[in-house]
Coordinates of all heavy atoms in Angstrom, one line a residue:
M1 N 19.6 -42.0 -22.6 CA 18.4 -41.9 -23.4 C 17.2 -42.6 -22.8 O 17.3 -43.7 -22.3 CB 18.7 -42.5 -24.8 CG 17.5 -42.3 -25.7 SD 17.7 -43.2 -27.3 CE 17.6 -44.9 -26.8
V2 N 16.1 -41.9 -22.7 CA 14.9 -42.4 -22.1 C 13.9 -42.9 -23.2 O 13.6 -42.2 -24.1 CB 14.2 -41.4 -21.2 CG1 13.0 -42.1 -20.5 CG2 15.1 -40.8 -20.2
M3 N 13.5 -44.2 -23.0 CA 12.5 -44.7 -24.0 C 11.2 -44.9 -23.2 O 11.2 -45.1 -22.0 CB 13.0 -46.1 -24.5 CG 14.3 -46.0 -25.1 SD 14.8 -47.4 -26.1 CE 13.4 -47.4 -27.3
R4 N 10.1 -44.7 -23.9 CA 8.8 -44.8 -23.2 C 7.9 -45.9 -23.8 O 7.9 -46.0 -25.0 CB 8.1 -43.5 -23.2 CG 8.9 -42.5 -22.4 CD 8.2 -41.1 -22.2 NE 9.0 -40.3 -21.3 CZ 8.9 -40.3 -20.0 NH1 8.0 -41.0 -19.4 NH2 9.6 -39.5 -19.3
G5 N 7.3 -46.6 -22.9 CA 6.4 -47.7 -23.3 C 5.0 -47.1 -23.6 O 4.8 -45.9 -23.6
G6 N 4.1 -48.0 -23.8 CA 2.7 -47.7 -24.2 C 2.0 -46.8 -23.2 O 1.0 -46.1 -23.5
F7 N 2.4 -46.9 -21.9 CA 1.8 -46.0 -20.9 C 2.6 -44.8 -20.6 O 2.4 -44.2 -19.5 CB 1.4 -46.9 -19.7 CG 0.0 -47.3 -19.7 CD1 -0.4 -48.3 -20.5 CD2 -0.9 -46.6 -18.9 CE1 -1.7 -48.7 -20.6 CE2 -2.3 -47.0 -19.0 CZ -2.7 -48.0 -19.8
G8 N 3.6 -44.6 -21.4 CA 4.5 -43.4 -21.1 C 5.5 -43.8 -20.0 O 6.3 -42.9 -19.6
E9 N 5.6 -45.1 -19.7 CA 6.5 -45.4 -18.6 C 8.0 -45.4 -19.1 O 8.2 -45.8 -20.2 CB 6.2 -46.8 -18.0 CG 6.5 -48.0 -18.8 CD 5.5 -48.4 -19.9 OE1 4.7 -47.5 -20.3 OE2 5.5 -49.5 -20.3
P10 N 8.9 -44.8 -18.3 CA 10.3 -44.7 -18.8 C 11.1 -45.9 -18.6 O 11.0 -46.7 -17.7 CB 10.8 -43.5 -17.9 CG 9.9 -43.5 -16.7 CD 8.7 -44.2 -17.0
Y11 N 12.0 -46.1 -19.6 CA 13.0 -47.2 -19.5 C 14.4 -46.5 -19.9 O 14.4 -45.7 -20.7 CB 12.7 -48.3 -20.6 CG 11.4 -49.0 -20.3 CD1 10.3 -48.7 -21.0 CD2 11.3 -50.0 -19.3 CE1 9.1 -49.4 -20.8 CE2 10.2 -50.6 -19.1 CZ 9.0 -50.3 -19.8 OH 7.9 -51.0 -19.5
C12 N 15.4 -47.0 -19.2 CA 16.7 -46.3 -19.4 C 17.4 -46.8 -20.7 O 18.3 -46.1 -21.1 CB 17.6 -46.7 -18.2 SG 18.1 -48.4 -18.1
S13 N 17.0 -47.9 -21.3 CA 17.7 -48.4 -22.4 C 16.8 -49.2 -23.3 O 15.7 -49.7 -22.8 CB 18.9 -49.3 -22.0 OG 18.4 -50.4 -21.3
Q14 N 17.3 -49.5 -24.5 CA 16.6 -50.4 -25.4 C 16.3 -51.8 -24.7 O 15.3 -52.4 -24.8 CB 17.3 -50.6 -26.7 CG 16.7 -51.5 -27.7 CD 15.5 -50.9 -28.4 OE1 15.6 -49.7 -28.9 NE2 14.4 -51.6 -28.5
E15 N 17.4 -52.2 -24.0 CA 17.3 -53.5 -23.4 C 16.2 -53.6 -22.3 O 15.3 -54.5 -22.3 CB 18.6 -53.9 -22.7 CG 18.7 -55.3 -22.3 CD 19.9 -55.6 -21.5 OE1 20.8 -54.7 -21.4 OE2 20.0 -56.7 -20.9
C16 N 16.1 -52.6 -21.5 CA 15.1 -52.5 -20.5 C 13.7 -52.3 -21.1 O 12.7 -52.9 -20.6 CB 15.3 -51.4 -19.5 SG 16.6 -51.8 -18.3
Y17 N 13.6 -51.6 -22.2 CA 12.4 -51.4 -22.9 C 11.9 -52.7 -23.4 O 10.7 -53.1 -23.2 CB 12.6 -50.4 -24.0 CG 11.4 -50.2 -24.9 CD1 10.4 -49.3 -24.6 CD2 11.3 -50.9 -26.1 CE1 9.4 -49.1 -25.4 CE2 10.2 -50.7 -26.9 CZ 9.3 -49.8 -26.6 OH 8.2 -49.6 -27.4
D18 N 12.8 -53.5 -24.1 CA 12.4 -54.8 -24.6 C 12.0 -55.7 -23.5 O 11.0 -56.4 -23.6 CB 13.6 -55.4 -25.4 CG 13.9 -54.7 -26.7 OD1 13.0 -53.9 -27.1 OD2 15.0 -54.9 -27.2
N19 N 12.8 -55.8 -22.4 CA 12.4 -56.6 -21.3 C 11.1 -56.3 -20.7 O 10.3 -57.1 -20.3 CB 13.5 -56.6 -20.2 CG 14.8 -57.3 -20.7 OD1 14.7 -58.1 -21.6 ND2 15.9 -57.0 -20.1
G20 N 10.9 -55.0 -20.5 CA 9.6 -54.5 -20.0 C 8.4 -54.9 -20.8 O 7.4 -55.4 -20.3
G21 N 8.5 -54.8 -22.1 CA 7.5 -55.2 -23.0 C 7.2 -56.7 -23.0 O 6.1 -57.2 -22.9
K22 N 8.3 -57.5 -22.9 CA 8.2 -59.0 -22.9 C 7.5 -59.4 -21.6 O 6.7 -60.3 -21.5 CB 9.6 -59.6 -22.9 CG 10.1 -59.9 -24.3 CD 11.5 -60.6 -24.2 CE 12.4 -60.1 -25.3 NZ 13.8 -60.1 -24.9
Y23 N 7.9 -58.7 -20.5 CA 7.4 -59.0 -19.2 C 5.9 -58.8 -19.2 O 5.1 -59.6 -18.7 CB 8.1 -58.1 -18.2 CG 7.7 -58.3 -16.8 CD1 8.3 -59.2 -16.0 CD2 6.8 -57.4 -16.3 CE1 7.9 -59.4 -14.7 CE2 6.4 -57.5 -15.0 CZ 6.9 -58.5 -14.2 OH 6.5 -58.6 -12.9
A24 N 5.5 -57.6 -19.7 CA 4.0 -57.3 -19.7 C 3.3 -58.3 -20.5 O 2.2 -58.7 -20.2 CB 3.9 -55.8 -20.2
S25 N 3.8 -58.7 -21.7 CA 3.1 -59.6 -22.5 C 3.0 -61.0 -21.8 O 2.0 -61.6 -22.0 CB 3.9 -59.9 -23.8 OG 4.3 -58.7 -24.4
A26 N 4.0 -61.4 -21.1 CA 4.0 -62.7 -20.4 C 2.8 -62.6 -19.4 O 2.1 -63.6 -19.2 CB 5.3 -63.0 -19.7
V27 N 2.7 -61.5 -18.7 CA 1.6 -61.4 -17.7 C 0.3 -61.5 -18.4 O -0.7 -62.2 -17.9 CB 1.8 -60.1 -16.9 CG1 0.6 -59.9 -15.9 CG2 3.0 -60.1 -16.1
M28 N 0.1 -60.8 -19.5 CA -1.1 -60.8 -20.2 C -1.5 -62.2 -20.7 O -2.6 -62.6 -20.6 CB -1.0 -59.8 -21.4 CG -0.9 -58.4 -21.1 SD -2.1 -57.7 -20.0 CE -3.1 -56.8 -21.2
L29 N -0.5 -62.9 -21.2 CA -0.7 -64.3 -21.7 C -1.1 -65.2 -20.6 O -1.9 -66.2 -20.9 CB 0.6 -64.8 -22.4 CG 0.8 -64.3 -23.8 CD1 2.2 -64.8 -24.3 CD2 -0.3 -64.9 -24.8
K30 N -0.7 -65.0 -19.4 CA -1.0 -65.9 -18.3 C -2.4 -65.5 -17.7 O -2.8 -66.2 -16.8 CB 0.1 -65.8 -17.2 CG 1.2 -66.7 -17.6 CD 2.2 -66.8 -16.4 CE 3.3 -65.7 -16.6 NZ 4.2 -65.6 -15.5
N31 N -3.0 -64.5 -18.3 CA -4.4 -64.1 -17.8 C -4.3 -63.9 -16.3 O -5.2 -64.3 -15.6 CB -5.4 -65.2 -18.1 CG -5.7 -65.3 -19.6 OD1 -5.5 -64.3 -20.3 ND2 -6.1 -66.4 -20.0
Q32 N -3.3 -63.2 -15.8 CA -3.2 -62.9 -14.4 C -4.3 -62.0 -13.9 O -4.7 -61.1 -14.6 CB -1.9 -62.3 -14.1 CG -0.8 -63.3 -13.9 CD 0.4 -62.8 -13.2 OE1 0.3 -61.8 -12.5 NE2 1.6 -63.4 -13.4
T33 N -4.7 -62.2 -12.7 CA -5.6 -61.3 -12.1 C -4.9 -60.5 -11.0 O -3.8 -60.9 -10.5 CB -6.8 -62.0 -11.4 OG1 -6.2 -62.9 -10.5 CG2 -7.7 -62.7 -12.4
G34 N -5.4 -59.3 -10.7 CA -4.8 -58.5 -9.7 C -5.7 -57.4 -9.3 O -6.9 -57.4 -9.6
V35 N -5.2 -56.3 -8.7 CA -6.0 -55.2 -8.4 C -5.3 -53.9 -9.0 O -4.1 -53.8 -9.1 CB -6.3 -54.9 -6.9 CG1 -7.1 -56.0 -6.3 CG2 -4.9 -54.8 -6.2
C36 N -6.1 -53.0 -9.5 CA -5.6 -51.8 -10.1 C -4.8 -51.0 -9.0 O -5.2 -50.9 -7.9 CB -6.8 -50.9 -10.5 SG -6.3 -49.3 -11.1
G37 N -3.6 -50.6 -9.4 CA -2.7 -49.9 -8.5 C -3.2 -48.5 -8.2 O -2.7 -47.9 -7.2
F38 N -4.2 -48.0 -8.8 CA -4.7 -46.7 -8.5 C -6.0 -46.7 -7.8 O -6.3 -45.9 -6.9 CB -4.8 -45.9 -9.8 CG -3.5 -45.6 -10.4 CD1 -2.9 -46.5 -11.4 CD2 -2.7 -44.5 -10.0 CE1 -1.7 -46.2 -11.9 CE2 -1.5 -44.3 -10.6 CZ -0.9 -45.2 -11.5
C39 N -6.9 -47.6 -8.1 CA -8.3 -47.6 -7.4 C -8.6 -48.9 -6.7 O -9.6 -49.0 -6.1 CB -9.4 -47.3 -8.5 SG -9.6 -48.6 -9.6
Q40 N -7.6 -49.9 -6.8 CA -7.8 -51.2 -6.1 C -9.0 -52.0 -6.6 O -9.4 -52.9 -6.0 CB -8.0 -51.0 -4.6 CG -6.6 -51.0 -3.8 CD -5.7 -49.8 -4.2 OE1 -6.1 -48.7 -4.0 NE2 -4.5 -50.1 -4.6
K41 N -9.5 -51.7 -7.8 CA -10.5 -52.5 -8.4 C -9.9 -53.8 -8.9 O -8.8 -53.8 -9.5 CB -11.2 -51.7 -9.5 CG -12.5 -52.2 -10.0 CD -13.1 -51.2 -11.0 CE -12.6 -51.4 -12.4 NZ -13.2 -50.5 -13.3
P42 N -10.6 -55.0 -8.7 CA -10.0 -56.2 -9.3 C -10.0 -56.2 -10.8 O -10.9 -55.7 -11.4 CB -11.0 -57.3 -8.8 CG -11.9 -56.6 -7.8 CD -11.8 -55.2 -8.0
V43 N -8.9 -56.6 -11.4 CA -8.8 -56.6 -12.8 C -8.3 -58.0 -13.3 O -7.7 -58.8 -12.6 CB -7.8 -55.5 -13.3 CG1 -8.3 -54.2 -13.1 CG2 -6.4 -55.7 -12.6
Q44 N -8.5 -58.2 -14.6 CA -8.1 -59.4 -15.2 C -7.2 -59.1 -16.5 O -7.7 -58.3 -17.3 CB -9.3 -60.2 -15.7 CG -9.0 -61.3 -16.7 CD -8.9 -62.7 -16.1 OE1 -9.9 -63.1 -15.4 NE2 -7.9 -63.4 -16.4
A45 N -6.0 -59.5 -16.5 CA -5.2 -59.3 -17.6 C -5.4 -60.4 -18.7 O -5.6 -61.5 -18.3 CB -3.7 -59.3 -17.2
S46 N -5.5 -60.0 -19.9 CA -5.6 -61.0 -21.0 C -5.1 -60.5 -22.3 O -5.4 -59.3 -22.6 CB -7.1 -61.4 -21.1 OG -7.3 -62.2 -22.2
M47 N -4.4 -61.3 -23.0 CA -3.9 -60.9 -24.3 C -4.9 -60.9 -25.4 O -5.0 -60.0 -26.2 CB -2.7 -61.9 -24.7 CG -1.9 -61.4 -25.9 SD -1.0 -60.0 -25.5 CE 0.7 -60.6 -25.7
Y48 N -5.8 -61.9 -25.3 CA -6.8 -62.0 -26.4 C -8.3 -61.8 -26.0 O -9.1 -61.5 -26.8 CB -6.7 -63.4 -27.1 CG -5.2 -63.6 -27.6 CD1 -4.4 -64.5 -27.0 CD2 -4.8 -62.8 -28.7 CE1 -3.1 -64.7 -27.4 CE2 -3.4 -63.0 -29.1 CZ -2.6 -63.9 -28.5 OH -1.3 -64.1 -28.9
G49 N -8.5 -62.1 -24.7 CA -9.9 -62.0 -24.2 C -10.2 -60.6 -23.8 O -9.6 -59.6 -24.3
A50 N -11.2 -60.5 -22.9 CA -11.7 -59.2 -22.5 C -10.8 -58.7 -21.3 O -11.0 -59.0 -20.2 CB -13.1 -59.2 -22.0
S51 N -9.7 -58.0 -21.7 CA -8.8 -57.5 -20.7 C -9.4 -56.3 -20.0 O -9.9 -55.4 -20.7 CB -7.5 -57.2 -21.3 OG -6.5 -56.9 -20.3
T52 N -9.3 -56.2 -18.7 CA -9.9 -55.0 -18.1 C -8.8 -54.1 -17.6 O -9.0 -53.2 -16.8 CB -10.8 -55.4 -16.9 OG1 -10.0 -56.2 -16.0 CG2 -12.0 -56.2 -17.4
C53 N -7.5 -54.4 -18.0 CA -6.4 -53.6 -17.5 C -5.2 -53.6 -18.4 O -5.2 -54.4 -19.3 CB -6.0 -54.1 -16.1 SG -5.3 -55.7 -16.2
A54 N -4.3 -52.7 -18.1 CA -3.0 -52.8 -18.7 C -2.0 -53.2 -17.6 O -2.3 -53.0 -16.5 CB -2.6 -51.4 -19.3
I55 N -0.8 -53.6 -18.1 CA 0.3 -54.0 -17.1 C 1.5 -53.2 -17.4 O 1.9 -53.1 -18.6 CB 0.7 -55.5 -17.3 CG1 -0.5 -56.4 -17.3 CG2 1.8 -55.8 -16.3 CD1 -0.9 -56.7 -15.9
V56 N 2.1 -52.7 -16.4 CA 3.4 -52.0 -16.5 C 4.3 -52.6 -15.5 O 3.9 -52.7 -14.3 CB 3.2 -50.5 -16.3 CG1 4.6 -49.8 -16.3 CG2 2.4 -49.9 -17.4
P57 N 5.5 -53.0 -15.9 CA 6.5 -53.5 -14.9 C 6.9 -52.2 -14.1 O 7.2 -51.2 -14.7 CB 7.6 -54.0 -15.7 CG 7.5 -53.4 -17.0 CD 6.1 -53.0 -17.2
Y58 N 6.9 -52.3 -12.8 CA 7.1 -51.1 -12.0 C 7.7 -51.5 -10.7 O 7.1 -52.3 -9.9 CB 5.7 -50.4 -11.8 CG 5.8 -49.2 -10.9 CD1 6.3 -48.0 -11.4 CD2 5.3 -49.3 -9.6 CE1 6.3 -46.9 -10.6 CE2 5.3 -48.2 -8.8 CZ 5.8 -47.0 -9.3 OH 5.8 -45.9 -8.5
E59 N 9.0 -51.1 -10.4 CA 9.7 -51.4 -9.2 C 9.6 -52.9 -8.8 O 9.4 -53.3 -7.7 CB 9.2 -50.6 -8.1 CG 9.3 -49.1 -8.4 CD 9.2 -48.2 -7.2 OE1 8.6 -48.6 -6.2 OE2 9.7 -47.0 -7.3
G60 N 9.8 -53.8 -9.8 CA 9.9 -55.2 -9.6 C 8.5 -55.9 -9.4 O 8.5 -57.1 -9.2
V61 N 7.5 -55.2 -9.5 CA 6.1 -55.8 -9.4 C 5.3 -55.5 -10.6 O 5.7 -54.6 -11.4 CB 5.4 -55.4 -8.1 CG1 6.1 -55.8 -6.9 CG2 5.1 -53.9 -8.1
N62 N 4.2 -56.1 -10.8 CA 3.2 -55.8 -11.8 C 2.4 -54.6 -11.4 O 1.7 -54.7 -10.4 CB 2.3 -56.9 -12.1 CG 3.0 -58.2 -12.4 OD1 4.0 -58.2 -13.1 ND2 2.4 -59.3 -12.0
L63 N 2.4 -53.6 -12.1 CA 1.4 -52.5 -11.8 C 0.3 -52.7 -12.8 O 0.4 -52.6 -14.0 CB 2.1 -51.1 -12.0 CG 1.2 -49.9 -11.9 CD1 0.6 -49.8 -10.5 CD2 1.9 -48.6 -12.2
F64 N -0.9 -53.1 -12.2 CA -2.1 -53.2 -13.0 C -2.8 -51.8 -13.1 O -2.8 -51.1 -12.1 CB -3.1 -54.2 -12.4 CG -2.6 -55.6 -12.4 CD1 -1.8 -56.1 -11.3 CD2 -2.9 -56.4 -13.4 CE1 -1.4 -57.4 -11.3 CE2 -2.5 -57.8 -13.5 CZ -1.7 -58.3 -12.4
I65 N -3.2 -51.5 -14.3 CA -3.9 -50.2 -14.4 C -5.2 -50.5 -15.1 O -5.3 -50.9 -16.2 CB -3.1 -49.2 -15.3 CG1 -1.7 -49.0 -14.7 CG2 -3.8 -47.9 -15.4 CD1 -0.8 -48.2 -15.6
C66 N -6.3 -50.3 -14.4 CA -7.7 -50.6 -14.9 C -8.0 -49.6 -16.0 O -7.4 -48.5 -16.1 CB -8.7 -50.7 -13.9 SG -9.4 -49.1 -13.4
N67 N -9.0 -50.0 -16.9 CA -9.3 -49.1 -18.0 C -9.7 -47.7 -17.6 O -9.4 -46.7 -18.2 CB -10.4 -49.8 -18.9 CG -9.8 -51.1 -19.5 OD1 -8.6 -51.3 -19.6 ND2 -10.7 -52.0 -19.9
S68 N -10.4 -47.6 -16.5 CA -10.9 -46.3 -16.1 C -9.8 -45.4 -15.5 O -9.9 -44.2 -15.4 CB -12.1 -46.3 -15.1 OG -12.2 -47.6 -14.5
C69 N -8.7 -46.1 -15.1 CA -7.5 -45.3 -14.5 C -6.4 -45.1 -15.5 O -5.4 -44.6 -15.1 CB -7.0 -46.0 -13.3 SG -8.1 -46.0 -11.9
S70 N -6.7 -45.4 -16.8 CA -5.5 -45.3 -17.7 C -5.0 -43.9 -17.9 O -3.8 -43.7 -17.9 CB -5.9 -45.9 -19.1 OG -6.9 -45.2 -19.7
A71 N -5.9 -42.9 -17.8 CA -5.4 -41.5 -18.0 C -4.6 -41.1 -16.7 O -3.5 -40.5 -16.8 CB -6.6 -40.5 -18.1
K72 N -5.0 -41.5 -15.6 CA -4.3 -41.3 -14.3 C -3.0 -42.0 -14.3 O -1.9 -41.4 -13.9 CB -5.2 -41.8 -13.2 CG -4.9 -41.2 -11.8 CD -5.5 -42.0 -10.7 CE -6.9 -41.5 -10.4 NZ -7.5 -42.2 -9.2
G73 N -3.0 -43.2 -14.8 CA -1.7 -44.0 -14.9 C -0.7 -43.4 -15.8 O 0.5 -43.3 -15.4
K74 N -1.2 -42.9 -16.9 CA -0.3 -42.3 -17.9 C 0.3 -41.0 -17.3 O 1.5 -40.8 -17.5 CB -1.0 -42.0 -19.2 CG -1.2 -43.2 -20.1 CD -1.9 -42.9 -21.3 CE -2.1 -44.2 -22.1 NZ -3.2 -44.1 -23.1
A75 N -0.5 -40.2 -16.6 CA 0.0 -39.0 -16.1 C 1.0 -39.3 -15.0 O 2.1 -38.6 -14.9 CB -1.2 -38.2 -15.5
Y76 N 0.8 -40.3 -14.2 CA 1.7 -40.7 -13.1 C 3.0 -41.2 -13.7 O 4.1 -40.7 -13.2 CB 1.0 -41.8 -12.3 CG 1.9 -42.2 -11.2 CD1 2.1 -41.5 -10.0 CD2 2.7 -43.4 -11.3 CE1 2.9 -41.9 -9.0 CE2 3.5 -43.9 -10.3 CZ 3.6 -43.1 -9.1 OH 4.5 -43.5 -8.1
L77 N 3.0 -42.0 -14.7 CA 4.2 -42.6 -15.2 C 5.0 -41.6 -16.0 O 6.2 -41.7 -16.2 CB 3.8 -43.9 -16.1 CG 3.4 -45.0 -15.2 CD1 2.6 -46.1 -16.1 CD2 4.5 -45.7 -14.5
R78 N 4.3 -40.6 -16.6 CA 5.0 -39.6 -17.3 C 6.0 -38.8 -16.4 O 7.0 -38.4 -16.8 CB 4.0 -38.6 -17.9 CG 4.5 -37.9 -19.1 CD 3.4 -37.1 -19.9 NE 2.5 -36.5 -18.9 CZ 1.2 -36.6 -19.0 NH1 0.6 -37.3 -20.0 NH2 0.4 -35.9 -18.1
D79 N 5.6 -38.7 -15.1 CA 6.4 -38.0 -14.2 C 7.3 -38.9 -13.3 O 8.0 -38.4 -12.4 CB 5.5 -37.2 -13.2 CG 4.8 -36.1 -13.9 OD1 5.3 -35.6 -15.0 OD2 3.7 -35.7 -13.5
Y80 N 7.3 -40.2 -13.6 CA 8.1 -41.1 -12.9 C 9.6 -41.0 -13.4 O 9.8 -40.9 -14.6 CB 7.6 -42.5 -13.1 CG 8.3 -43.6 -12.3 CD1 8.3 -43.5 -10.9 CD2 8.9 -44.7 -12.9 CE1 8.9 -44.5 -10.2 CE2 9.5 -45.7 -12.2 CZ 9.5 -45.6 -10.8 OH 10.1 -46.6 -10.1
R81 N 10.5 -40.9 -12.5 CA 11.9 -40.5 -13.0 C 12.9 -41.7 -12.9 O 14.1 -41.5 -12.8 CB 12.4 -39.4 -12.1 CG 11.6 -38.1 -12.3 CD 12.0 -37.4 -13.6 NE 11.1 -36.3 -13.9 CZ 10.3 -36.2 -14.9 NH1 10.3 -37.1 -15.9 NH2 9.5 -35.1 -15.1
K82 N 12.4 -42.9 -12.8 CA 13.3 -44.1 -12.8 C 12.9 -45.0 -13.9 O 11.7 -45.1 -14.3 CB 13.2 -44.8 -11.4 CG 13.9 -44.0 -10.3 CD 14.1 -44.8 -9.1 CE 12.8 -44.9 -8.2 NZ 13.0 -45.6 -7.0
C83 N 13.8 -45.8 -14.3 CA 13.6 -46.9 -15.3 C 12.6 -47.9 -14.6 O 12.8 -48.3 -13.5 CB 14.9 -47.6 -15.7 SG 14.6 -49.0 -16.7
C84 N 11.5 -48.2 -15.3 CA 10.5 -49.1 -14.8 C 11.0 -50.5 -14.6 O 10.4 -51.3 -13.9 CB 9.2 -49.1 -15.6 SG 8.2 -47.7 -15.2
K85 N 12.1 -50.8 -15.3 CA 12.6 -52.2 -15.2 C 13.8 -52.4 -14.2 O 13.8 -53.3 -13.5 CB 13.1 -52.7 -16.6 CG 13.1 -54.1 -16.8 CD 11.7 -54.7 -16.9 CE 11.7 -56.3 -16.8 NZ 11.6 -56.8 -15.4
C86 N 14.7 -51.5 -14.2 CA 15.9 -51.7 -13.4 C 16.0 -50.6 -12.3 O 17.0 -50.6 -11.5 CB 17.2 -51.7 -14.2 SG 17.7 -50.2 -14.9
Q87 N 15.1 -49.6 -12.3 CA 15.0 -48.6 -11.2 C 16.2 -47.6 -11.3 O 16.4 -46.9 -10.3 CB 15.0 -49.2 -9.8 CG 13.6 -49.7 -9.4 CD 13.2 -51.0 -10.0 OE1 13.9 -52.0 -9.8 NE2 12.1 -51.0 -10.8
K88 N 16.9 -47.6 -12.4 CA 18.0 -46.6 -12.5 C 17.3 -45.2 -12.7 O 16.3 -45.2 -13.4 CB 18.8 -47.0 -13.7 CG 20.2 -46.4 -13.7 CD 21.1 -47.1 -14.7 CE 21.0 -46.5 -16.1 NZ 22.0 -47.2 -17.0
S89 N 17.9 -44.2 -12.2 CA 17.3 -42.9 -12.5 C 17.4 -42.5 -13.9 O 18.5 -42.7 -14.5 CB 18.1 -41.8 -11.6 OG 17.8 -42.0 -10.3
V90 N 16.4 -41.9 -14.5 CA 16.5 -41.5 -15.9 C 16.2 -39.9 -16.0 O 15.6 -39.4 -15.0 CB 15.5 -42.2 -16.7 CG1 15.9 -43.7 -16.9 CG2 14.1 -42.1 -16.2
Ligands
ZN101 ZN1 -8.3 -48.3 -11.5
ZN102 ZN1 16.7 -49.8 -17.0

């Protein structure tokens, strides 16, 4: 059974889905900075402040998706065929 997160990213199980969500929240809480995985624009993750991106766990790294690339990110993740947390095929 495939479960999908807020960006349409696939998870193979409830456990991976929960872990993926926890992981993304932890990154947001730490106000991490990074670059958008689609356009390389610098982004700032934030749970309560002015966040300029979303975070998706992806192949063991944080995939930052800036606000202007969210449609592109969703389209990409919809076609991704592996669990975003454990890389199992889904
Ligand atoms: Zn971007
Ligand atoms: Zn999984």
